[in-house]
């Protein structure tokens, strides 16, 4: 039985096929990378796993249970949390309150949720911003907040959508270190990036997609050398 | 927080004793109406302020509460005080399907749907003459000739609503309400069942609004559909009261109601029949220049002075 599995998943937006018969499995405990150029369907993939959109075709299974068709809050409850590429801070709440909003999934009492949220903030290196309103965070801290809030729901699987995009090299390094810490804590991670460099450094296995279709899969090294991947990223001339 | 407790104790004492000193019944009447609007504001604030679902149809729940009391007298000859028991559950029962329908919509669409539903109730209660006595309304004999008993009853209802809001927003519910208001997609991705929690805000909101409606029937002793189901004089007025006082602040509705009634009385005394125009302009100005309401701005100011924050959208809860 596979851990998290997409089987022939397809998503149409009107006439546009954003995800096209995509199948892959994520194994428990790994960092699974998905790369692809802009508009290749990565975010849509997360929106399908997370239950924001209904599937046009295919199935999604998690721990032997079919999860497509469930609403987003149920999917989170089952243990799959996500971040958003376009960050969605709860603007007029403090950083701590944002993370508490996640923590309440497993802790009904305010004091317990607050304690849990503080731990997560500490883990994510955001503790010093706890009492700041989320709308006044820098972009790097907003990305951290996305992760912290998702972690506060105590997920088994964390879907990270372009965490490194828009970060400077130092912030990028910190993000990578954080993702590795998350995996060490026992959470399975699916990382989406269109920046190859980042994903290649941390992923155990990588899936490359273009136009919503798989073009290659393998270890980071295999993917980096794959002619289809090079063509997708650099255009025909460089293949 | 010792100071806060003293302040509260002093406030309670004043609220209990102050009306005894008023000689003019009309002044007591104004106090009662402030409590009416403060309580309606508390109820609206739960849904519209904290959970961010701006209802333009709260007159429906107010009217249902009022008619629950009125129709008991009209059809069964039972004391309208029983309406205080019947009104809240009736309003809540109607709120459930209304919520299930309207919460499929977001933002302005939700607002428009509630507005339309509120109007439907007004039309039904106007035209279903056999049951509601139509536009002629319902007239009852008031229980008390003095204002004071009504004042204390309404004070108790106000206190109940205040405690209810406070307990709710300081619990997990409050965090979930505000999360949904700030970003529903993010909230759902964090495992928050948005529709269910919107109902958790709406149902108590409708309950309290229905209770105030039932009280209103008892107190004013005359209702008709155009008064209690009014879009302008109930649904929108609740929103103005809360906006003036401070959306999503615990004391905002009370402060807003006091200011609103004080101002509207002052303008009526000064300008007579044309008072509506300058009064409307003033309300617009307050809302334009104090977008967070009086309590919201006060909290922001206090926060800047103290360098900390205590509540939602700028307020100590
Ligand atoms: N809600 C939507 N409605 C219509 N088209 C969409 C929607 N979401 C994504 N798309 C389209 O689907 C394709 C894939 O988008 P996306 O998954 O965001 O790509 P990526 O995350 O890989 O950059 C794009 O062509 C995009 O315009
Ligand atoms: Mg994307």
């Amino acid at each position: 039985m596979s851990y998290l599995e997409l089987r022939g998943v397809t998503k149409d937006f009107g006439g546009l096929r954003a995800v096209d018969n995509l199948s892959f499995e994520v194994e428990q405990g790994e960092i699974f990378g998905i790369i692809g150029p802009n508009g290749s369907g990565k975010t849509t993939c997360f929106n399908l796993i997370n239950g924001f959109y209904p599937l046009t075709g295919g199935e999604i299974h998690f721990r032997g249970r079919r999860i497509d068709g469930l609403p987003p809050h149920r999917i989170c409850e089952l243990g799959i949390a996500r971040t958003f590429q376009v960050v969605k801070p709860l603007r007029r709440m403090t950083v701590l309150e944002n993370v508490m909003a996640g923590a309440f999934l497993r802790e009904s009492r305010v004091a317990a949720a607050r304690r849990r949220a503080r731990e997560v903030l500490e883990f994510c290196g955001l503790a010093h911003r706890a009492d700041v309103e989320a709308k006044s965070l820098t972009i790097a801290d907003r990305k951290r907040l996305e992760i912290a809030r998702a972690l506060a729901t105590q997920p088994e699987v964390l879907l990270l959508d372009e965490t490194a995009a828009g970060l400077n090299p130092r912030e990028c390094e910190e993000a990578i270190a954080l993702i590795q810490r998350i995996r060490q804590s026992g959470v399975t991670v699916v990382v989406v990036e269109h920046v190859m460099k980042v994903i290649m450094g941390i992923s155990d296995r990588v899936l490359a997609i273009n136009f919503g279709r798989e073009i290659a899969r393998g270890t980071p090294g295999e993917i980096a050398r794959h002619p289809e991947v090079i063509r997708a990223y650099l255009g025909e001339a460089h293949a | 927080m010792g100071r806060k407790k003293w302040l509260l104790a002093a406030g309670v004492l004043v609220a209990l004793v102050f009306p005894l000193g008023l000689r003019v019944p009309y002044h007591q009447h104004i106090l009662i109406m402030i409590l009416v609007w403060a309580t309606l504001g508390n109820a609206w604030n739960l849904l519209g302020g904290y959970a961010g679902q701006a209802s333009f149809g709260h007159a429906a729940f107010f009217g249902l509460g009022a008619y629950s009391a009125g129709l008991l007298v009209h059809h069964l000859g039972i004391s309208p005080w029983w309406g205080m028991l019947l009104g809240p559950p009736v309003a809540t029962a109607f709120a459930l399907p209304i919520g299930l329908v309207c919460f499929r919509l977001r933002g302005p669409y939700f607002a428009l749907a509630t507005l339309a539903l509120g109007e439907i109730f007004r039309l039904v209660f106007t035209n279903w003459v056999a049951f509601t006595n139509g536009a002629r309304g319902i007239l009852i004999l008031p229980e008390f000739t003095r204002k004071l008993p009504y004042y204390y009853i309404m004070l108790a209802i106000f206190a109940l609503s205040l405690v209810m809001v406070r307990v709710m927003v300081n619990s997990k519910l409050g965090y979930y309400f505000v999360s949904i208001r700030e970003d529903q997609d993010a909230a759902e991705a964090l495992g928050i069942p948005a529709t269910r929690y919107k109902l958790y805000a709406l149902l108590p909101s409708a309950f309290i609004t229905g209770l105030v409606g039932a009280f209103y029937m008892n107190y004013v002793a005359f209702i008709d559909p155009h008064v209690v189901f009014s879009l302008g004089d109930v649904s929108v007025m609740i929103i103005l009261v809360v906006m003036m006082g401070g959306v999503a602040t615990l004391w905002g509705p009370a402060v807003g109601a006091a200011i609103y009634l004080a101002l509207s009385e002052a303008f009526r005394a000064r300008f007579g029949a044309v008072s509506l125009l300058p009064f409307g302009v003033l309300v617009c100005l307050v809302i334009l220049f104090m977008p967070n309401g009086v309590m919201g701005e006060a909290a922001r100011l206090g926060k800047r002075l103290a360098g900390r924050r205590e509540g939602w959208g700028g307020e100590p809860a």
Side-chain angles (χ1 to χ4, degrees):
Chain A
M1 184 184 78
S2 56
Y3 189 58
L4 173 63
E5 182 183 6
L6 277 70
R7 289 184 202 155
V9 167
T10 298
K11 179 64 187 177
D12 292 342
F13 291 111
L16 177 85
R17 181 147 291 187
V19 174
D20 189 359
N21 195 23
L22 198 62
S23 300
F24 64 85
E25 291 173 25
V26 178
E27 284 163 22
Q28 188 163 13
E30 74 174 333
I31 297 183
F32 185 85
I34 302 176
I35 61 166
N38 266 327
S40 57
K42 305 181 297 295
T43 296
T44 303
C45 227
F46 277 8
N47 283 334
L48 294 172
I49 297 174
N50 144 271
F52 269 136
Y53 299 145
L55 277 61
T56 305
E59 296 179 3
I60 303 175
H61 294 256
F62 177 55
R63 311 192 63 177
R65 167 172 188 178
R66 189 165 172 185
I67 60 165
D68 56 273
L70 295 179
H73 69 89
R74 283 285 297 139
I75 303 230
C76 185
E77 214 178 301
L78 289 174
I80 304 179
R82 70 169 293 182
T83 67
F84 293 93
Q85 177 179 0
V86 181
V87 292
K88 294 178 180 292
L90 306 171
R91 294 173 56 83
R92 284 176 290 176
M93 296 167 82
T94 65
V95 167
L96 180 68
E97 287 161 355
N98 265 263
V99 180
M100 286 172 73
F104 275 119
L105 183 62
R106 318 274 180 211
E107 305 270 14
S108 286
R109 285 169 37 249
V110 174
R114 186 176 290 127
R115 211 174 312 123
R116 171 86 197 134
R118 286 207 187 278
E119 284 167 19
V120 175
L121 284 175
E122 198 68 53
F123 181 84
C124 294
L126 208 53
H128 61 296
R129 310 296 284 158
D131 297 322
V132 173
E133 276 198 341
K135 65 180 173 194
S136 54
L137 289 182
T138 63
I139 184 68
D141 281 344
R142 284 183 190 207
K143 298 233 165 181
R144 261 182 224 274
L145 176 58
E146 284 282 322
I147 296 177
R149 212 169 52 180
L151 279 180
T153 68
Q154 305 188 24
E156 281 190 43
V157 178
L158 181 59
L159 313 177
L160 297 175
D161 197 352
E162 309 245 4
T163 296
L167 300 187
N168 67 34
R170 213 199 76 230
E171 293 163 347
C172 231
E173 288 303 318
E174 288 170 0
I176 289 171
L178 175 58
I179 294 170
Q180 273 158 347
R181 278 209 304 282
I182 292 169
R183 189 254 289 269
Q184 274 154 25
S185 75
V187 177
T188 305
V189 184
V190 183
V191 213
V192 152
E193 293 285 347
H194 76 275
V195 186
M196 291 252 264
K197 227 173 31 201
V198 173
I199 212 158
M200 293 309 184
I202 52 173
S203 305
D204 298 305
R205 297 187 302 136
V206 177
L207 170 76
I209 63 173
N210 199 11
F211 303 111
R213 273 191 302 270
E214 169 175 345
I215 53 176
R217 71 168 86 192
T219 63
E222 287 162 4
I223 293 297
R225 287 189 299 273
H226 200 286
E228 282 281 342
V229 176
I230 296 169
R231 197 176 302 132
Y233 269 84
L234 302 172
E236 294 286 341
H238 296 261
Chain B
M1 280 293 126
R3 231 182 83 225
K4 238 179 177 173
K5 279 223 175 79
W6 280 109
L7 211 65
L8 189 66
V12 172
L13 201 68
V14 169
L16 287 173
V17 175
F18 180 66
L20 296 172
L22 294 177
R23 288 274 163 269
V24 189
Y26 186 67
H27 293 161
Q28 292 174 337
H29 169 72
I30 290 179
L31 282 187
I32 293 169
M33 290 317 285
I34 288 175
L35 289 173
V36 163
W37 286 104
T39 310
L40 291 174
N42 281 342
W44 187 91
N45 207 16
L46 208 48
L47 178 69
Y50 293 98
Q53 310 300 308
S55 156
F56 278 70
H58 259 50
F61 309 127
F62 182 75
L64 283 168
Y67 267 95
S68 293
L71 291 177
L72 279 180
V73 184
H74 188 71
H75 288 298
L76 305 174
I78 297 174
S79 160
W81 291 113
W82 289 106
M84 308 261 290
L85 280 183
L86 182 65
V90 165
T92 312
F94 276 92
L96 184 65
I98 288 176
L100 287 173
V101 171
C102 293
F103 287 147
R104 297 169 159 274
L105 307 166
R106 294 193 192 186
Y109 301 101
F110 172 79
L112 282 175
T114 57
L115 187 150
L117 274 163
E119 288 299 277
I120 288 173
F121 277 95
R122 188 173 56 78
L123 292 173
V124 168
F125 274 75
T126 307
N127 291 304
W128 190 8
V129 179
F131 182 57
T132 67
N133 210 27
R136 268 175 303 160
I138 291 177
L139 182 68
I140 64 169
L141 280 175
E143 175 92 21
F144 308 109
T145 45
R146 293 186 314 140
K147 300 279 182 202
L148 272 183
Y150 293 106
Y151 173 82
Y152 288 114
I153 292 167
M154 195 55 227
L155 185 65
I157 297 174
F158 167 73
L160 171 76
S161 72
L162 199 65
V163 169
M164 210 161 118
V165 171
R166 197 193 135 89
V167 168
M168 285 180 80
V169 302
N170 284 338
S171 72
K172 171 178 173 176
L173 284 170
Y175 287 79
Y176 272 19
F177 291 168
V178 178
S179 300
I180 291 166
R181 174 189 82 193
E182 292 297 301
D183 194 314
Q184 187 174 328
D185 287 337
E188 286 180 346
L190 291 174
I192 301 175
T195 302
R196 193 188 314 158
Y197 275 85
K198 287 177 190 173
L199 283 175
Y200 291 164
L202 169 65
L203 298 182
S205 179
F207 186 93
I208 294 285
T209 308
L211 183 58
V212 180
F215 169 84
Y216 184 87
M217 171 83 260
N218 278 283
Y219 174 53
V220 177
F222 172 74
I223 57 168
D224 75 30
H226 294 275
V227 172
V228 294
F229 287 108
S230 167
L231 174 62
D233 296 339
V234 179
S235 291
V236 173
M237 173 131 168
I238 299 177
I239 300 173
L240 290 179
V241 161
V242 179
M243 283 184 80
M244 297 237 296
V247 174
T249 65
L250 183 64
W251 289 98
V255 170
I259 295 175
Y260 198 102
L261 274 133
L263 284 181
S264 73
E265 289 309 314
F267 273 80
R268 187 157 46 204
R270 178 88 179 68
F271 298 102
V274 294
S275 68
L276 232 49
L277 183 62
F279 180 59
V281 170
L282 186 76
V283 170
C284 286
L285 285 177
V286 169
I287 287 169
L288 262 176
F289 289 102
M290 300 177 86
N292 297 303
V294 174
M295 292 310 283
E297 299 295 342
R300 273 159 55 105
L301 199 68
K303 202 167 61 185
R304 204 167 308 153
L305 294 177
R308 72 201 160 90
R309 55 161 287 134
E310 305 183 36
W312 307 118
E315 137 302 337

